[in-house]
CSV table of all heavy atoms in Angstrom, one decimal:
chain,number,residue,atom,x,y,z
A,205,GLN,N,14.6,-88.0,-92.6
A,205,GLN,CA,14.9,-86.9,-93.5
A,205,GLN,C,13.7,-86.1,-93.9
A,205,GLN,O,13.8,-85.1,-94.5
A,205,GLN,CB,15.8,-87.3,-94.7
A,205,GLN,CG,15.0,-88.2,-95.7
A,205,GLN,CD,15.0,-89.7,-95.4
A,205,GLN,OE1,15.0,-90.1,-94.2
A,205,GLN,NE2,14.9,-90.5,-96.4
A,206,PHE,N,12.5,-86.7,-93.7
A,206,PHE,CA,11.3,-86.1,-94.1
A,206,PHE,C,10.6,-85.4,-92.9
A,206,PHE,O,9.5,-84.8,-93.0
A,206,PHE,CB,10.3,-87.1,-94.6
A,206,PHE,CG,10.8,-87.8,-95.9
A,206,PHE,CD1,11.3,-89.1,-95.8
A,206,PHE,CD2,10.8,-87.1,-97.1
A,206,PHE,CE1,11.7,-89.7,-97.0
A,206,PHE,CE2,11.2,-87.7,-98.2
A,206,PHE,CZ,11.7,-89.0,-98.2
A,207,ASP,N,11.3,-85.4,-91.7
A,207,ASP,CA,10.8,-84.7,-90.6
A,207,ASP,C,10.7,-83.2,-90.9
A,207,ASP,O,11.6,-82.6,-91.5
A,207,ASP,CB,11.7,-84.9,-89.4
A,207,ASP,CG,11.2,-84.3,-88.1
A,207,ASP,OD1,11.4,-83.1,-87.9
A,207,ASP,OD2,10.5,-85.0,-87.3
A,208,PRO,N,9.6,-82.5,-90.5
A,208,PRO,CA,9.5,-81.1,-90.8
A,208,PRO,C,10.6,-80.2,-90.3
A,208,PRO,O,11.0,-79.3,-91.0
A,208,PRO,CB,8.1,-80.7,-90.1
A,208,PRO,CG,7.4,-82.0,-90.1
A,208,PRO,CD,8.4,-83.1,-89.9
A,209,ALA,N,11.2,-80.6,-89.1
A,209,ALA,CA,12.3,-79.8,-88.6
A,209,ALA,C,13.5,-79.9,-89.5
A,209,ALA,O,14.2,-78.9,-89.8
A,209,ALA,CB,12.7,-80.2,-87.2
A,210,PHE,N,13.8,-81.1,-90.1
A,210,PHE,CA,14.9,-81.3,-91.0
A,210,PHE,C,14.6,-80.6,-92.3
A,210,PHE,O,15.5,-80.0,-92.9
A,210,PHE,CB,15.2,-82.7,-91.2
A,210,PHE,CG,16.4,-83.0,-92.1
A,210,PHE,CD1,17.7,-82.7,-91.6
A,210,PHE,CD2,16.3,-83.4,-93.4
A,210,PHE,CE1,18.8,-82.9,-92.4
A,210,PHE,CE2,17.4,-83.6,-94.2
A,210,PHE,CZ,18.7,-83.3,-93.7
A,211,LEU,N,13.4,-80.6,-92.8
A,211,LEU,CA,13.0,-80.0,-94.1
A,211,LEU,C,13.2,-78.5,-94.0
A,211,LEU,O,13.4,-77.9,-95.1
A,211,LEU,CB,11.6,-80.3,-94.4
A,211,LEU,CG,11.3,-81.8,-94.9
A,211,LEU,CD1,9.8,-82.0,-95.1
A,211,LEU,CD2,12.1,-82.1,-96.1
A,212,LYS,N,13.2,-77.9,-92.9
A,212,LYS,CA,13.5,-76.5,-92.7
A,212,LYS,C,15.0,-76.2,-93.1
A,212,LYS,O,15.3,-75.1,-93.5
A,212,LYS,CB,13.1,-76.0,-91.4
A,212,LYS,CG,11.7,-75.9,-91.1
A,212,LYS,CD,11.4,-75.4,-89.7
A,212,LYS,CE,9.9,-75.3,-89.4
A,212,LYS,NZ,9.6,-74.8,-88.0
A,213,LEU,N,15.8,-77.2,-92.8
A,213,LEU,CA,17.2,-77.1,-93.2
A,213,LEU,C,17.5,-77.4,-94.6
A,213,LEU,O,18.4,-76.8,-95.2
A,213,LEU,CB,18.1,-78.0,-92.2
A,213,LEU,CG,17.9,-77.7,-90.7
A,213,LEU,CD1,18.7,-78.8,-90.0
A,213,LEU,CD2,18.4,-76.3,-90.4
A,214,ASN,N,16.8,-78.4,-95.1
A,214,ASN,CA,17.1,-78.8,-96.5
A,214,ASN,C,15.8,-79.3,-97.1
A,214,ASN,O,15.3,-80.4,-96.8
A,214,ASN,CB,18.2,-79.9,-96.6
A,214,ASN,CG,18.5,-80.3,-98.0
A,214,ASN,OD1,18.0,-79.6,-99.0
A,214,ASN,ND2,19.3,-81.3,-98.2
A,215,SER,N,15.2,-78.5,-98.0
A,215,SER,CA,13.9,-78.9,-98.6
A,215,SER,C,14.0,-80.1,-99.5
A,215,SER,O,13.0,-80.7,-99.9
A,215,SER,CB,13.3,-77.7,-99.3
A,215,SER,OG,14.2,-77.2,-100.3
A,216,ASN,N,15.3,-80.5,-99.9
A,216,ASN,CA,15.5,-81.6,-100.7
A,216,ASN,C,15.6,-82.9,-99.9
A,216,ASN,O,15.9,-84.0,-100.4
A,216,ASN,CB,16.8,-81.4,-101.5
A,216,ASN,CG,17.0,-82.4,-102.7
A,216,ASN,OD1,16.0,-82.9,-103.2
A,216,ASN,ND2,18.2,-82.8,-103.0
A,217,HIS,N,15.4,-82.8,-98.6
A,217,HIS,CA,15.4,-83.9,-97.6
A,217,HIS,C,16.5,-84.9,-97.9
A,217,HIS,O,16.4,-86.1,-97.9
A,217,HIS,CB,14.0,-84.6,-97.6
A,217,HIS,CG,13.5,-85.1,-98.9
A,217,HIS,ND1,13.9,-86.2,-99.5
A,217,HIS,CD2,12.5,-84.6,-99.7
A,217,HIS,CE1,13.3,-86.4,-100.7
A,217,HIS,NE2,12.4,-85.4,-100.8
A,218,LYS,N,17.8,-84.4,-98.0
A,218,LYS,CA,19.0,-85.2,-98.1
A,218,LYS,C,20.0,-84.8,-97.1
A,218,LYS,O,20.1,-83.6,-96.7
A,218,LYS,CB,19.6,-85.0,-99.5
A,218,LYS,CG,18.7,-85.3,-100.7
A,218,LYS,CD,18.5,-86.8,-100.8
A,218,LYS,CE,17.8,-87.2,-102.1
A,218,LYS,NZ,17.6,-88.6,-102.3
A,219,ILE,N,20.7,-85.8,-96.6
A,219,ILE,CA,21.9,-85.5,-95.7
A,219,ILE,C,23.1,-85.5,-96.6
A,219,ILE,O,23.1,-86.1,-97.7
A,219,ILE,CB,22.0,-86.5,-94.6
A,219,ILE,CG1,22.2,-88.0,-95.1
A,219,ILE,CG2,20.9,-86.5,-93.6
A,219,ILE,CD1,23.6,-88.4,-95.2
A,220,PRO,N,24.2,-84.9,-96.2
A,220,PRO,CA,24.4,-84.1,-95.0
A,220,PRO,C,24.0,-82.7,-95.1
A,220,PRO,O,23.8,-82.1,-96.2
A,220,PRO,CB,25.9,-84.2,-94.8
A,220,PRO,CG,26.4,-84.2,-96.3
A,220,PRO,CD,25.4,-85.0,-97.0
A,221,VAL,N,23.8,-82.1,-94.0
A,221,VAL,CA,23.6,-80.6,-93.8
A,221,VAL,C,24.5,-80.1,-92.7
A,221,VAL,O,24.6,-80.9,-91.7
A,221,VAL,CB,22.1,-80.3,-93.5
A,221,VAL,CG1,21.9,-78.8,-93.2
A,221,VAL,CG2,21.2,-80.7,-94.7
A,222,ILE,N,25.1,-79.0,-92.8
A,222,ILE,CA,25.8,-78.4,-91.7
A,222,ILE,C,25.1,-77.1,-91.3
A,222,ILE,O,24.5,-76.4,-92.1
A,222,ILE,CB,27.3,-78.1,-92.0
A,222,ILE,CG1,27.5,-77.1,-93.1
A,222,ILE,CG2,28.0,-79.4,-92.2
A,222,ILE,CD1,28.9,-76.6,-93.2
A,223,GLU,N,25.2,-76.8,-90.0
A,223,GLU,CA,24.9,-75.4,-89.5
A,223,GLU,C,26.1,-74.9,-88.8
A,223,GLU,O,26.7,-75.6,-88.0
A,223,GLU,CB,23.8,-75.5,-88.4
A,223,GLU,CG,22.4,-76.0,-89.0
A,223,GLU,CD,21.4,-76.1,-87.8
A,223,GLU,OE1,20.7,-75.1,-87.6
A,223,GLU,OE2,21.3,-77.2,-87.2
A,224,ASP,N,26.5,-73.7,-89.2
A,224,ASP,CA,27.8,-73.1,-88.7
A,224,ASP,C,27.5,-71.8,-88.1
A,224,ASP,O,27.1,-70.8,-88.8
A,224,ASP,CB,28.8,-72.9,-89.9
A,224,ASP,CG,30.2,-72.5,-89.4
A,224,ASP,OD1,30.3,-72.2,-88.2
A,224,ASP,OD2,31.1,-72.4,-90.2
A,225,ASP,N,27.6,-71.7,-86.8
A,225,ASP,CA,27.3,-70.4,-86.1
A,225,ASP,C,28.3,-69.3,-86.4
A,225,ASP,O,28.2,-68.2,-85.9
A,225,ASP,CB,27.1,-70.6,-84.6
A,225,ASP,CG,28.3,-71.2,-83.9
A,225,ASP,OD1,29.4,-71.2,-84.5
A,225,ASP,OD2,28.1,-71.7,-82.7
A,226,GLN,N,29.4,-69.7,-87.1
A,226,GLN,CA,30.4,-68.7,-87.4
A,226,GLN,C,30.5,-68.5,-89.0
A,226,GLN,O,31.4,-67.9,-89.5
A,226,GLN,CB,31.8,-69.1,-86.9
A,226,GLN,CG,31.9,-69.1,-85.4
A,226,GLN,CD,33.3,-69.5,-84.9
A,226,GLN,OE1,34.3,-69.3,-85.6
A,226,GLN,NE2,33.3,-70.0,-83.7
A,227,GLY,N,29.5,-69.0,-89.7
A,227,GLY,CA,29.5,-68.9,-91.1
A,227,GLY,C,29.0,-67.6,-91.6
A,227,GLY,O,28.6,-66.7,-90.8
A,228,PRO,N,29.1,-67.4,-92.9
A,228,PRO,CA,28.7,-66.0,-93.5
A,228,PRO,C,27.2,-65.7,-93.2
A,228,PRO,O,26.3,-66.6,-93.4
A,228,PRO,CB,28.9,-66.2,-95.0
A,228,PRO,CG,29.0,-67.7,-95.2
A,228,PRO,CD,29.5,-68.3,-94.0
A,229,GLY,N,27.0,-64.6,-92.7
A,229,GLY,CA,25.6,-64.1,-92.4
A,229,GLY,C,25.0,-64.7,-91.1
A,229,GLY,O,23.8,-64.5,-90.9
A,230,ALA,N,25.8,-65.5,-90.4
A,230,ALA,CA,25.2,-66.1,-89.2
A,230,ALA,C,24.9,-65.1,-88.1
A,230,ALA,O,25.6,-64.1,-88.0
A,230,ALA,CB,26.2,-67.2,-88.7
A,231,THR,N,23.8,-65.4,-87.4
A,231,THR,CA,23.5,-64.5,-86.3
A,231,THR,C,23.3,-65.5,-85.1
A,231,THR,O,23.3,-66.7,-85.2
A,231,THR,CB,22.1,-63.8,-86.5
A,231,THR,OG1,21.1,-64.8,-86.7
A,231,THR,CG2,22.2,-63.0,-87.8
A,232,VAL,N,23.0,-64.8,-83.9
A,232,VAL,CA,22.8,-65.6,-82.7
A,232,VAL,C,21.6,-66.5,-82.9
A,232,VAL,O,21.5,-67.7,-82.5
A,232,VAL,CB,22.6,-64.7,-81.5
A,232,VAL,CG1,22.2,-65.5,-80.3
A,232,VAL,CG2,23.9,-63.9,-81.2
A,233,GLU,N,20.6,-66.0,-83.6
A,233,GLU,CA,19.3,-66.8,-83.8
A,233,GLU,C,19.4,-67.7,-85.0
A,233,GLU,O,18.7,-68.7,-85.0
A,233,GLU,CB,18.2,-65.8,-84.0
A,233,GLU,CG,17.8,-64.9,-82.8
A,233,GLU,CD,18.8,-63.7,-82.7
A,233,GLU,OE1,19.4,-63.4,-83.7
A,233,GLU,OE2,18.8,-63.1,-81.6
A,234,GLN,N,20.2,-67.4,-86.0
A,234,GLN,CA,20.2,-68.2,-87.2
A,234,GLN,C,21.6,-68.5,-87.7
A,234,GLN,O,22.3,-67.6,-88.2
A,234,GLN,CB,19.4,-67.4,-88.3
A,234,GLN,CG,19.3,-68.2,-89.6
A,234,GLN,CD,18.7,-69.5,-89.5
A,234,GLN,OE1,17.5,-69.6,-89.0
A,234,GLN,NE2,19.3,-70.6,-89.9
A,235,PRO,N,22.1,-69.7,-87.6
A,235,PRO,CA,23.4,-70.0,-88.1
A,235,PRO,C,23.4,-70.1,-89.6
A,235,PRO,O,22.3,-70.2,-90.2
A,235,PRO,CB,23.7,-71.4,-87.5
A,235,PRO,CG,22.3,-72.0,-87.2
A,235,PRO,CD,21.4,-70.8,-86.9
A,236,PHE,N,24.5,-70.2,-90.2
A,236,PHE,CA,24.7,-70.4,-91.6
A,236,PHE,C,24.4,-71.9,-91.9
A,236,PHE,O,24.9,-72.8,-91.3
A,236,PHE,CB,26.1,-70.1,-92.1
A,236,PHE,CG,26.4,-70.4,-93.5
A,236,PHE,CD1,25.8,-69.8,-94.6
A,236,PHE,CD2,27.3,-71.5,-93.8
A,236,PHE,CE1,26.1,-70.1,-95.9
A,236,PHE,CE2,27.7,-71.8,-95.1
A,236,PHE,CZ,27.1,-71.1,-96.1
A,237,VAL,N,23.5,-72.2,-92.9
A,237,VAL,CA,23.1,-73.5,-93.2
A,237,VAL,C,23.5,-73.9,-94.6
A,237,VAL,O,23.3,-73.1,-95.5
A,237,VAL,CB,21.5,-73.7,-93.1
A,237,VAL,CG1,21.1,-75.1,-93.4
A,237,VAL,CG2,21.1,-73.3,-91.6
A,238,LEU,N,24.0,-75.1,-94.8
A,238,LEU,CA,24.5,-75.5,-96.1
A,238,LEU,C,24.3,-77.0,-96.3
A,238,LEU,O,24.6,-77.8,-95.4
A,238,LEU,CB,26.0,-75.2,-96.3
A,238,LEU,CG,26.6,-75.3,-97.7
A,238,LEU,CD1,25.9,-74.4,-98.7
A,238,LEU,CD2,28.1,-75.1,-97.7
A,239,SER,N,23.7,-77.3,-97.5
A,239,SER,CA,23.5,-78.7,-97.8
A,239,SER,C,24.3,-79.0,-99.1
A,239,SER,O,25.0,-78.2,-99.6
A,239,SER,CB,22.0,-79.0,-98.1
A,239,SER,OG,21.5,-78.2,-99.1
A,240,GLU,N,24.2,-80.3,-99.6
A,240,GLU,CA,25.0,-80.8,-100.7
A,240,GLU,C,26.4,-81.0,-100.3
A,240,GLU,O,27.2,-80.1,-100.0
A,240,GLU,CB,24.9,-79.9,-101.9
A,240,GLU,CG,23.5,-79.8,-102.5
A,240,GLU,CD,23.0,-81.2,-103.0
A,240,GLU,OE1,23.8,-82.0,-103.5
A,240,GLU,OE2,21.8,-81.4,-103.0
């Protein structure tokens, strides 16, 4: 959870995290990311 790639998703270094490519504001390059 302290891996730099994971910290880009959640700076609080906690699971779970989801990435949703159909979420609000999602683009081809950047999915919607949500933690907690």
Side-chain angles (χ1 to χ4, degrees):
Q205 72 273 30
F206 298 105
D207 185 274
F210 184 74
L211 289 175
K212 290 181 180 179
L213 300 175
N214 184 9
S215 59
N216 194 31
H217 54 78
K218 301 286 186 181
I219 62 95
V221 174
I222 63 167
E223 297 180 87
D224 186 356
D225 60 13
Q226 297 182 22
T231 65
V232 174
E233 296 80 17
Q234 181 60 56
F236 173 68
V237 178
L238 189 63
S239 60
E240 295 296 328

